Amino acid sequence: MSEQFLIGTYTKKDSKGAYMVTLDTDKGELTNVELAIPSQKPAYLQVGPKQRVYAVKQVNDQAGVASYSLADGKSKTISTVLEEGPAPAYVGLDEKRHLLYSANYHTAKVEVFKIADDGKLTLLDTVTHQGETGPEPEQEAPHVHYADLTPDQRLIVCDLGMDLIVVYDVADDGKLTAVSRFKFEPGFGTRHLIFHPNGKYVYVLGELSSKLAVLKYNANDASFEHLQTIKTIPADWTAHNGAAAIRMSKDGKFIYTSNRGENTIAVFAVQPDFTVKHIQSISTEGDFPRDFNLSRDESYLLASNQNTDNLTLYKRDATTGKLTLLQKDVACPEPVCVQRFN
């Protein structure tokens, strides 16, 4: 059996766009890294129904989002929405309401796009974050880094510059209304998050602090209660590190985060009270692991190393949650996003 992953990349050096890689689940092996979508800087992407892909895009001094069809294995550009300025850092897909959300680190903008039946994108709303920022050098301004759905279909946004998460109600016409916010400790550097399958707990990754925070989520008013904050790197680590991606097993028992600097995947076991315990850190066999993802049945984990242009494959033990290295040095140019394709 085999399954495919779509790899978003930067295109500063040799990359030509987004790449497809095949995982042979019988052999436990990655093969056939091939260009799937020729594009400039598809650094983050989401895979939707009908073999459609929604991605960040940049063309010279303009940037924004684009939609593509990969039906029959052929890439076709459906729609592009660009404006002057830097590219977004993240796109989130709302299949139920046929919306696409983008988070722009540089402009501090959250944008909402309508997805038409044919995949065409139309801008519906824009919210720009403003306000007090954190103490770190990277927090000189608000920096929106993530915009995606809560289990109760609100939009939750991470702002790295403001040490903040903000929850928005989403109207039928795509308009956003802020309903709650939660402020972390100064310098936390809110980057990405993931909800527990029960919808009552959220695990928030701080890039600048290399910390993982556990919050309880109250869906009635979209409020949060802080339960725990834990480091993703050893206490004696003194070199630079930036926490990057976070994933969770479907059974809600294990959380995985990537560390750019220590160059590891950190594994955490979820405790009965939904706090976490660190149980493993394993090398990504490369430099700057910006993203990773689990296979469909979660027997494998695929990590991407941006600076060393390589992918790394691990076997995952469903009982212990721990990872075992299977394959390293799989060439892929500038990989920064890993999404399952099928």
Side-chain angles (χ1 to χ4, degrees), residues 179-194:
V179 291
S180 75
R181 55 171 51 200
F182 184 88
K183 190 90 167 179
F184 292 85
E185 63 187 75
F188 183 79
T190 322
R191 180 183 171 94
H192 278 197
L193 58 81
I194 194 163

Side-chain angles (χ1 to χ4, degrees), residues 318-334:
T319 302
T320 67
K322 292 185 177 181
L323 304 175
T324 303
L325 177 66
L326 288 180
Q327 189 181 13
K328 59 181 180 178
D329 300 329
V330 178
C332 182
E334 303 171 78

